[in-house]
Amino acid sequence: MTSSLYERLGGTEGITKIASDLVDIHIANPRIGPRYAGSDVAAVKNGAATFFITGTGGPSVYKGKDMLGTHKGMNIDNDEFIAVLDDALVALEKNNIGQREKEEVLYVLYSMKSEIVRV
Ligand code: HEM
């Protein structure tokens, strides 16, 4: 049997590192960085890490809202959504994640579009 995406991304330690890099890359990205201007960076990193740990088959550590509740009223557009996916790919490559795993992560992220864009 294929191991879970959680395991293949390096478990809690690996995903925590990827999520931390991802949030740093978002903040440095002029297209979306301003969205996080008032954010508690450590809290956003923790939210991103726990969301992904739980969503990829790891322990149930995510305590935040669902994606619709999190992003409702932010008026996020399509270009911003793609910017987040671009950043995710950079973070995955920075952490030497394999091709198959990159495809799975990108697909999982893409599949949430209708809960995030213009909600
Ligand atoms: C599939 C794509 C996305 C996923 C999986 C995702 C996931 C998340 C998660 C898990 C949180 C933290 C929630 C919590 O801890 O309660 C969050 C917060 C947030 N997201 Fe997203 N997000 C996505 C796309 C976007 C996009 C496109 C934008 C706009 C640039 C965006 C902007 C934000 C902001 C501004 C916050 C709040 C940060 C704060 O609490 O200060 N997200 N997102």
Side-chain angles (χ1 to χ4, degrees):
M1 205 189 96
T2 315
S3 61
S4 67
L5 184 55
Y6 167 78
E7 286 166 20
R8 288 180 285 128
L9 292 171
T12 294
E13 194 183 332
I15 294 174
T16 299
K17 170 72 167 57
I18 295 166
S20 173
D21 288 344
L22 177 61
V23 172
D24 288 338
I25 295 164
H26 282 342
I27 290 168
N29 183 343
R31 196 180 283 279
I32 55 170
R35 288 277 190 183
Y36 302 91
S39 296
D40 173 341
V41 176
V44 178
K45 288 183 173 184
N46 182 60
T50 53
F51 179 74
F52 233 72
I53 287 166
T54 300
T56 53
S60 298
V61 288
Y62 181 65
K63 305 290 179 215
K65 296 183 207 161
D66 64 18
M67 290 301 97
L68 186 60
T70 299
H71 301 93
K72 203 168 174 51
M74 288 190 192
N75 200 25
I76 291 169
D77 70 23
N78 215 55
D79 284 354
E80 289 180 294
F81 186 75
I82 296 298
V84 162
L85 299 193
D86 288 343
D87 288 355
L89 195 53
V90 173
L92 292 164
E93 285 178 345
K94 188 170 180 226
N95 287 278
N96 304 309
I97 299 301
Q99 180 67 21
R100 168 82 203 194
E101 286 70 30
K102 287 191 285 191
E103 289 170 4
E104 287 182 41
V105 171
L106 265 287
Y107 183 77
V108 171
L109 293 176
Y110 186 80
S111 72
M112 295 174 211
K113 182 177 168 181
S114 65
E115 295 169 58
I116 292 168
V117 173
R118 305 279 192 211
V119 289

